[in-house]
Amino acid sequence: MAPFISRRLRKGAATTAVAAAAMAALTASQAPGVVSTDHGDRNQEQRAGEPAPDDTPIDGGSSYHTDLPPLVTPDKPGSSTDLPGLPGGSSIKPEAGIPASVLAAYKKAEAALRESNPGCNLPWQLLAAIGKVESGQARGGNVDAGGTTVSPILGPVLDGNGFALIKDTDGGAYDGDSAHDRAVGPMQFIPSTWASWGRDGNGDGKKDPNNIYDAALAAGSYLCAGGRDLSVKAHLDRAILGYNHSQEYLNTVLSWFEYYKRGTHEVPDGAGVLPANGGSGGGSGSGNKGSGKDGGKGKDQGKGKEENAHTLPKPSDENGNSTPTPTPKPGSGDETPGSPTPKPPTTPPPGTPSGPGKLTAVGARELSATAGTHFARSPRVKAVDAAGKPVAGVRVKYEILGETGARFLGLVRSATVPTGADGTATAPKLHAGEKTGAFTVRATAVGQEVAPVEFAATVKARPVPQADALARLDDKELTAPAGGSFAGPLTVTATNKGKATAGVPVTATMITSAEHPDPADKGPYFLDGAGKPVRTLTALKTDASGQLTLPEIRTGDQTGTFLLRLTTEGGAVLDIELTVTQADAS
C-alpha cells in the first residue's frame, strides 16, 4: 500500500479552478445557501433520552480533505449491494471503491438507525461521504479485523491557531493531548462530543471513536438528532454543517454524497484510494509530512483528480486475466499528464482457459444456524475447467433467496467474490437474523454459462432456556386484608443445575390446591394489560440475572388461604401460600 499522503486544508482555503469546476458539475443543481450554524434544528422535537446537538462542530472545526470525486461517475456493477472484491472493468473509478469493513460499518449504522429512528431516513452514502472527507475512509481502510484503526487518526491541535480553541476535555484519554482537544478516529469526533454521542456499533460493550463501527453509528445518531429528516434538503444541509460550519465543507461532502449514490463497490481493507491533497491537518496521525513554514497546513491541492491517488491492482476479466486500460478520449477528463498511451490488448497465450467448466460445492450444501447468530460455515464453491483443474479469477456471485432475515456481512443480500489460485471462492460471513425458516443461497459464475450451485440454509428458533428449580428471595409470609393488595414485590430466582438462568419462561397460576391444581375461580388475582382480573399469567420471563418479579397481586374479596403455583419448561414447580384476612372494619 502506498504511503499515506496526509496534507489537508484549513477551512476557507481557496479552491483551484479544476476543483471549482468539479464541484459545479456535481452540485450546481442543489447548491445551498451559506449557512454558518446549526441553530435551525433547535426548535425541532428532541428524541427521548437523546442529547441535543450543541454549537460546537462535531470535528471541532478541524481541517478536512478537499479532494473532489472524478467528473466521470462510476458505473454500477449490478447495484450498490453487489459488492465485487475488485472493480470488474476499467470504467469503474477507483475512488468509487470503499474498504470492506468501512462499507459494512456504514451499512450497519444505516440499518440500526432505520430501526431506531426511521423518520431520519439516513442513507449510508452520507456517512461514506463524511468519512471520505474526514479521514479518507479510515486511511483507505487501514483497520484491523474488528474495525479499529491500526494507528491513531488525529486532527490538528485545537489551540485556536487557525482552528477552533477547545481546551482539553478528556485528560488526553482519546487524543493524547492534556492541554487541548483534537478530533479522533475515522469520523473525527472531538472528545467532548464523543462523550455525549459515542455509541457501541459492533456490540463489544465499548464505545471507541477509533472503531469504524462505533464511530459510524455515533455519526449517524448525531446527523439524525433534533428530529431531522435527511430526505429534506434543508435538514440534510444543517446536519452536515453540524460536522463543520463551512460552506466549502458542505459542498465537498455533498459532491461525494451524490457520487456514492450513483454506485460503489467493495474493495479489500487497506486497498482504498487515499486523498491526494492537504497538509498535516486533522486525520493525519503521527507520521505526517508537511512540517514546513506553514505549519503543515498546506496549499490547495483539491484538483478532484486521481493521478496522485493510491489505486487498486489492475482489474481482471472473467478468467482472471489482466484487462488493459482503454485509451482515454481527448477532453474526457480521464487523461493523466505524462502517462504513456496504453498498448492494445495482447492475445492470451495458447491454453488459457476461457472460463470454468463448472462450479462445485466445497463441503456440505446444507447449512443451519440459530436465530440471532452467525452461520458457523459460509457457502463455498470451486471453479474448475473441463479437465477438472482449478480456475482462478472467476467472479462468483452469492445471492440470498427467499423470505428470510439472513444477510451477508454488511447487511446485504448479495456479494461477489473472485476465486483464488485454488479455484475456490467463499461467501462473506452469513448472519442468521431473527426470522426462522428455510432459504437458499445461490452461487453463480458472473458472465459464464455455468450451472449454479445452491445451498439449503435453515434458521432455527432459539432454544427455550429451562430451569429445574425456582426459589423465592425471601420467606416472608404473604398476608393482606380483603379488597387490597399484597405488599412488597414477590421475586423468585430460576436456576438450572444450580446456575441462575436468564430468559426462562415462567407461568403463574392461582390453583385450587396442590393435590388438585385446577385453575381457581376465586381469591387473589392479577390484572392484565386491559386492567381485567386474570388468574393465569404466561408472558413472564426471568431477567439477565435469572430473577423474576411478579406483577402486583390483588387479594379479592374472599378470605382464606390460597395457592399460587409457578412452573417452568424444565420442570421446576414452586407453590406460594397467599393468605387473605378480613378487611379492617374501621
Side-chain angles (χ1 to χ4, degrees):
M1 181 173 174
F4 179 66
I5 302 173
S6 61
R7 296 168 301 171
R8 294 177 57 173
L9 305 182
R10 277 200 272 176
K11 298 184 302 175
T15 57
T16 63
V18 177
M23 188 177 294
L26 288 164
T27 63
S29 63
Q30 58 176 10
V34 176
V35 184
S36 61
T37 70
D38 200 23
H39 292 165
D41 281 341
R42 294 297 177 267
N43 296 325
Q44 299 275 357
E45 181 180 355
Q46 195 66 23
R47 289 172 58 83
E50 181 181 79
D54 56 33
D55 292 322
T56 303
I58 201 168
D59 66 2
S62 296
S63 56
Y64 51 87
H65 292 294
T66 58
D67 288 30
L68 294 172
L71 292 177
V72 179
T73 57
D75 294 334
K76 290 186 179 182
S79 74
S80 62
T81 58
D82 179 23
L83 305 172
L86 292 174
S90 58
S91 63
I92 300 175
K93 290 290 183 181
E95 283 285 1
I98 299 178
S101 293
V102 179
L103 181 61
Y106 296 152
K107 291 188 174 183
K108 185 177 178 69
E110 179 197 59
L113 287 161
R114 186 188 305 124
E115 181 176 346
S116 65
N117 191 357
C120 173
N121 295 305
L122 171 77
W124 65 261
Q125 292 91 341
L126 177 58
L127 294 175
I130 291 174
K132 178 69 176 179
V133 172
E134 289 290 340
S135 70
Q137 309 297 21
R139 291 202 193 122
N142 189 25
V143 297
D144 62 20
T148 300
T149 56
V150 175
S151 57
I153 301 178
L154 299 174
V157 177
L158 299 176
D159 57 2
N161 184 19
F163 302 106
L165 172 60
I166 302 178
K167 293 186 177 180
D168 175 64
T169 60
D170 67 332
Y174 290 123
D175 55 17
D177 191 325
S178 58
H180 298 90
D181 274 347
R182 302 175 69 175
V184 179
M187 300 303 281
Q188 290 288 277
F189 276 84
I190 54 173
S192 58
T193 308
W194 183 259
S196 298
W197 290 96
R199 298 289 188 270
D200 177 14
N202 59 358
D204 65 356
K206 297 184 293 185
K207 299 176 182 179
D208 183 1
N210 298 296
N211 182 277
I212 185 60
Y213 291 94
D214 294 359
L217 181 58
S221 300
Y222 186 92
L223 293 168
C224 288
R228 295 185 186 118
D229 178 355
L230 299 181
S231 65
V232 177
K233 186 64 167 63
H235 289 204
L236 175 67
D237 290 351
R238 286 197 296 268
I240 296 170
L241 287 164
Y243 239 101
N244 195 310
H245 296 170
S246 159
Q247 182 69 27
E248 182 191 24
Y249 180 88
L250 174 64
N251 289 342
T252 304
V253 169
L254 287 174
S255 68
W256 282 107
F257 179 42
E258 291 300 318
Y259 182 73
Y260 287 138
K261 285 198 298 184
R262 290 174 179 157
T264 59
H265 55 273
E266 177 185 293
V267 298
D269 288 345
V273 173
L274 297 174
N277 72 342
S280 61
S284 58
S286 59
N288 301 324
K289 300 178 182 180
S291 57
K293 294 180 180 179
D294 64 353
K297 296 163 183 132
K299 297 180 180 180
D300 195 321
Q301 303 291 329
K303 298 182 179 180
K305 287 184 176 281
E306 297 182 276
E307 56 263 32
N308 295 325
H310 171 60
T311 57
L312 297 168
K314 291 183 179 179
S316 301
D317 62 17
E318 299 296 339
N319 303 320
N321 301 318
S322 179
T323 304
T325 304
T327 304
K329 296 179 181 180
S332 66
D334 287 340
E335 305 95 336
T336 299
S339 61
T341 301
K343 296 180 181 179
T346 58
T347 303
T352 300
S354 59
K358 63 177 180 178
L359 293 179
T360 60
V362 177
R365 293 174 64 168
E366 295 184 356
L367 313 171
S368 66
T370 301
T373 67
H374 286 92
F375 282 78
R377 189 176 61 83
S378 294
R380 189 182 185 195
V381 297
K382 184 174 184 178
V384 296
D385 61 16
K389 295 182 179 180
V391 182
V394 177
R395 292 173 61 217
V396 177
K397 182 176 182 178
Y398 288 97
E399 297 176 275
I400 296 173
L401 308 177
E403 294 296 324
T404 178
R407 294 293 186 270
F408 291 120
L409 179 68
L411 301 178
V412 296
R413 291 186 70 105
S414 68
T416 303
V417 182
T419 58
D422 62 352
T424 63
T426 303
K429 184 176 286 293
L430 183 61
H431 189 268
E434 295 296 336
K435 184 179 178 63
T436 60
F439 64 96
T440 300
V441 177
R442 177 180 295 166
T444 56
V446 178
Q448 305 287 339
E449 295 184 1
V450 176
V453 175
E454 293 189 347
F455 297 81
T458 304
V459 178
K460 301 177 181 179
R462 299 174 189 264
V464 177
Q466 297 187 354
D468 55 21
L470 286 169
R472 288 183 57 185
L473 288 190
D474 60 56
D475 56 0
K476 183 176 64 175
E477 291 185 1
L478 297 174
T479 302
S485 300
F486 290 92
L490 173 55
T491 303
V492 298
T493 301
T495 57
N496 193 42
K497 296 180 180 179
K499 183 178 181 180
T501 308
V504 176
V506 179
T507 299
T509 306
M510 302 294 178
I511 60 175
T512 55
S513 69
E515 295 76 17
H516 301 91
D518 299 320
D521 58 1
K522 61 182 180 180
Y525 59 88
F526 302 103
L527 293 178
D528 65 10
K532 296 181 179 180
V534 294
R535 291 186 170 86
T536 299
L537 291 178
T538 57
L540 303 173
K541 284 187 179 181
T542 58
D543 60 19
S545 62
Q547 296 183 356
L548 168 67
T549 299
L550 293 173
E552 180 186 30
I553 302 174
R554 301 291 182 93
T555 61
D557 297 327
Q558 300 286 330
T559 61
T561 299
F562 302 89
L563 209 57
L564 167 64
R565 173 164 288 184
L566 305 180
T567 59
T568 71
E569 281 287 330
V573 178
L574 176 64
D575 289 342
I576 302 172
E577 285 190 353
L578 305 173
T579 302
V580 181
T581 61
Q582 290 285 350
D584 189 349
S586 61

